[in-house]
Structure formats: structure tokens, C-alpha cells
Amino acid sequence: MAARDNKCQRCHASICCNYFTQALDTPRSKADFELLLWQISHQHAEIYKDSDGWFLLINSTCLHLQQDGTCGIYTQRPQICRDYSNDYCEFDAPATDGFDLYFKNYASLLDYCRQRFKTWGR
Ligand code: SF4
Ligand code: SF4
């Protein structure tokens, strides 16, 4: 992740340093989805589901990312950054390829809620 080996050097957007995710409890009830609708109402927030479950995705650049694409705290970077391998990463294929569900905004999640709960809004 943002190491300066050849592959990351070619990844000019430093894709993996421009967002973070947070695991969500699997939403089941209307109340659960109401909470997600509130979360996705915020700027830069998206929600997806993949084989690992539901996640909040916040598109926000890491403050340690330098203009040249290097990590400003590379030797002390967080463990999750150390664990992230560039063997097959988002430079090779977009993460969205693995998404079962992907909500980019409030409207798309609201549509899903209306389809999932026939009594939504009543
Ligand atoms: S997305 Fe892959 S290639 Fe790009 S900076 Fe991250 S690990 Fe490197
Ligand atoms: S700490 Fe460094 S490697 Fe981790 S996301 Fe930020 S810039 Fe990228």
C-alpha cells in the first residue's frame, strides 16, 4: 500500500489510500436500513455488500498520502496498510467487481429498501 515499488509507482491515483471501510452489522429490519440511509446521506459515504458482509465505504484521501504518491509515515504506517498486498489489488481490477450490492448514494439505497420491504414508507 503506497510503497514505492514498481507497481505502486505506476498507480498514480494511489487508489488504496483514498478511502476507508468499516464493517457493518448485517442489516435486516427497516430500522437497520433507516440507519444506513442516514449514514449514506453524508458526503463521500457509500455502502456495499460483498462475500465478507456489509461495509460502509468512505471516499476520503489519507492525510499521510504525499503529493508524489508515497506514504508520509511509511515506516510507522498502520498495520492494515502493512497487511495490504499489491500482488492483486485495485490497480489490477476495481474492488467493485467483487460487490454483490453497491449503493453509491441515498437514492439507490432507498430504491433497494422499497423493493425489499413492500410496506416501506407506510
Ligand atoms: S492500489 Fe495497489 S498498486 Fe495502487 S497504491 Fe495501492 S497497493 Fe499500490
Ligand atoms: S498511512 Fe500511508 S499507506 Fe496507509 S493509507 Fe495512509 S498513505 Fe496509504
Side-chain angles (χ1 to χ4, degrees), residues 86-110:
N86 71 358
D87 288 347
Y88 187 80
C89 65
E90 291 158 276
F91 188 66
D92 304 292
T96 50
D97 283 1
F99 291 0
D100 303 321
L101 295 170
Y102 183 27
F103 306 106
K104 297 186 75 166
N105 51 43
Y106 174 88
S108 60
L109 182 58
L110 183 59

Side-chain angles (χ1 to χ4, degrees), residues 14-103:
S14 301
I15 304 166
C16 62
C17 300
N18 279 283
Y19 69 87
F20 65 93
T21 62
Q22 182 71 50
L24 297 166
D25 292 336
T26 300
R28 301 186 194 287
S29 66
K30 280 188 182 180
D32 293 339
F33 280 95
E34 287 283 3
L35 184 61
L36 298 188
L37 282 166
W38 167 67
Q39 291 178 314
I40 205 170
S41 294
H42 292 74
Q43 273 192 331
H44 312 304
E46 300 178 347
I47 290 169
Y48 68 88
K49 175 187 174 296
D50 66 10
S51 56
D52 293 324
W54 288 73
F55 289 86
L56 186 61
L57 165 61
I58 306 295
N59 291 297
S60 178
T61 302
C62 177
L63 295 173
H64 301 298
L65 184 63
Q66 305 296 292
Q67 288 205 335
D68 64 358
T70 58
C71 174
I73 58 166
Y74 189 70
T75 58
Q76 289 96 37
R77 67 197 186 287
Q79 190 63 46
I80 193 168
C81 304
R82 296 168 189 273
D83 292 342
Y84 192 86
S85 166
N86 71 358
D87 288 347
Y88 187 80
C89 65
E90 291 158 276
F91 188 66
D92 304 292
T96 50
D97 283 1
F99 291 0
D100 303 321
L101 295 170
Y102 183 27
F103 306 106

